[in-house]
Amino acid sequence: MRHPPPSVVPLDRILPDEPLLMMGAGPVPIPAKVAHANSIIINHLGDTMNRVVEQVKAMTRYVFQTNNAQILGVAGPASAAMEMAVCNLVEPGTKVLAVINGYFSRRLAEMARRCGGDVVILEIEDGCTAMPEQVMAALHREAPTVMTIVQGETSNTVWNRYLPEISLAAHEMDCLVVVDAVCTLSTMRFDMDEWGVDAVITGGQKGLSSIPGVSLLGFSESAWKRIERRNAPMAHWCLDARLADQFWNKNSYHYTAPVSGILALHEALRLICTETLPARFHRHELSSKALQGGLQAMGLELLVQPVARLNSVVGIQIPDGVSGDEVRRHMSQVYKVEIAGAFGLNILRIGQMGEQCRAHAIFRALHAFGSSMVANGGRVDLPAGVAELERILADGQVT
Ligand SMILES: Cc1ncc(COP(=O)(O)O)c(C=O)c1O
């Protein structure tokens, strides 16, 4: 043998002794039932898989709030679902209006550009929600065939709160609306049919509290008609929706499906259906508002003003003289809690998606955060923060 085996250590010598509490921008903690499902292998074709897939589609329709959308999955990150939505709807020369609030909505625009789309960018001011009038003006000016937009920009914690109005306006102009709901789905309202959304994209590792790497998307009837009529060749084989339809709707082979990941998604979706969406939205909103209140009572400032503030991921300004990286390191080493930095912004981000929105998780995260701030020279009132968190959670009201 010319190449000897490498010298490696077992995983338990790499992983921390105790699992870290994942309170960043995803992946998030997963329920035990999801973890168990993720450890099972079954045949990727056949009756058992067919039953699982049918249930996954039915539950996804509930979570997307749609009756007829074509539901597909993809073995890949949420970015693969973004790419699948974009590359099937955008052909060379297709006019695309990309509403950009930050990093991930810019990624959608870049994907459309790489598909040969004629991409027009509508850049929204930092920290602001896209306003219906400004998007409508761009829609009238450009008459695009496709519009891309994000419901929540995880990167800078901005929420497009007028997505329903914006989506309906585009829909009325026969423009197909592609929505990235990766960090928001099942954490807040999303109504695919009622809002006239044509393609919705999500990942597993955020609101759904499943694993990263297996993602879901849905196409409206109009979007699916466009895909069926498409003449331009598809450069991507794995992401070709008409081929994926073979597996997701015709019990047949496209590629070997990520069976364990689909089983994990099944359980994550089933837990959402059991909880019901209204109860889940309330749990998320209350938990996030309590965390935000606690952070502010400590004396910290949040990045985004309430009108545009995302609940699913909270962005916190780092006080002068404090190193965000050191705070994160301290939280991780001393308290075994992980949170996220940001894409070039001087903020820290705490996630509020799925299993992160549990009282035990936010108390631990807020305490670890405040204490690590103090240890790194931040002047925060930790007891006041914890007291406010307790007060809002006990009150149970969202305002
Ligand atoms: C809003 C949004 N869109 C897309 C993505 C991309 O997801 P992934 O990293 O799974 O490709 C993310 C990931 O953080 C996200 O937050």
Side-chain angles (χ1 to χ4, degrees), residues 36 38 41 48 66 81 126 207 237 257 298 312 328 344 393:
H36 173 66
N38 189 45
I41 287 284
T48 308
T66 177
D126 280 351
W237 197 89
M298 272 186 189
S312 329
R328 288 206 298 138
L393 283 183

Side-chain angles (χ1 to χ4, degrees), residues 25 77-80 82 104 107 150 152-155 180 182-183 205-206:
S79 300
M82 291 160 86
F104 291 107
R107 183 178 290 181
V150 71
E153 247 307 340
T154 330
S155 58
D180 172 337
V182 173
C183 95
Q205 76 273 24
K206 301 199 190 234

Side-chain angles (χ1 to χ4, degrees), residues 25-27 76-82 103-105 107-108 111 150-155 180-184 201-206 212-215 310 313 343 349 353:
S79 300
M82 291 160 86
Y103 189 85
F104 291 107
S105 33
R107 183 178 290 181
L108 277 171
M111 287 172 172
V150 71
Q151 185 177 27
E153 247 307 340
T154 330
S155 58
D180 172 337
V182 173
C183 95
T184 46
I201 301 150
T202 198
Q205 76 273 24
K206 301 199 190 234
V214 184
S215 308
L310 186 61
V313 180
F343 299 80
R349 293 176 302 156
M353 298 172 284

Side-chain angles (χ1 to χ4, degrees), residues 31-227:
K33 289 204 161 47
V34 174
H36 173 66
N38 189 45
S39 68
I40 299 170
I41 287 284
I42 59 169
N43 197 335
H44 66 112
L45 296 172
D47 289 348
T48 308
M49 195 61 190
N50 296 344
R51 280 189 70 190
V52 171
V53 166
E54 282 313 309
Q55 297 211 135
V56 165
K57 288 191 303 184
M59 294 187 290
T60 304
R61 285 201 185 93
Y62 170 65
V63 178
F64 288 175
Q65 285 292 287
T66 177
N67 274 331
N68 300 318
Q70 182 86 349
I71 306 298
L72 302 171
V74 51
S79 300
M82 291 160 86
E83 201 138 41
M84 192 161 169
V86 169
C87 73
N88 282 279
L89 293 174
V90 176
E91 301 179 17
T94 303
K95 185 81 164 269
V96 179
L97 175 68
V99 181
I100 296 197
N101 298 83
Y103 189 85
F104 291 107
S105 33
R106 197 174 302 283
R107 183 178 290 181
L108 277 171
E110 173 60 13
M111 287 172 172
R113 192 191 63 76
R114 288 178 184 215
C115 292
D118 172 9
V119 182
V120 179
I121 285 177
L122 177 64
E123 192 92 40
I124 308 300
E125 212 183 314
D126 280 351
C128 294
T129 192
M131 297 305 288
E133 313 80 68
Q134 68 183 144
V135 181
M136 274 192 258
L139 284 167
H140 282 290
R141 196 173 55 239
E142 306 294 343
T145 305
V146 174
M147 178 179 81
T148 60
I149 186 165
V150 71
Q151 185 177 27
E153 247 307 340
T154 330
S155 58
N156 54 17
T157 68
V158 165
W159 169 39
N160 271 329
R161 73 179 306 143
Y162 301 111
L163 177 64
E165 293 84 343
I166 291 171
S167 179
L168 276 173
H171 183 74
E172 272 160 29
M173 293 179 64
D174 290 329
C175 170
L176 295 172
V177 181
V178 176
V179 178
D180 172 337
V182 173
C183 95
T184 46
L185 196 81
S186 92
T187 74
M188 63 174 65
R189 242 191 103 189
F190 183 87
D191 276 284
M192 183 176 187
D193 286 357
E194 202 179 311
W195 299 354
V197 173
D198 293 287
V200 52
I201 301 150
T202 198
Q205 76 273 24
K206 301 199 190 234
L208 301 184
S209 262
S210 185
I211 59 157
V214 184
S215 308
L216 290 166
L217 66 166
F219 288 110
S220 69
E221 285 172 301
S222 323
W224 194 251
K225 272 195 196 120
R226 178 173 168 87
I227 291 170

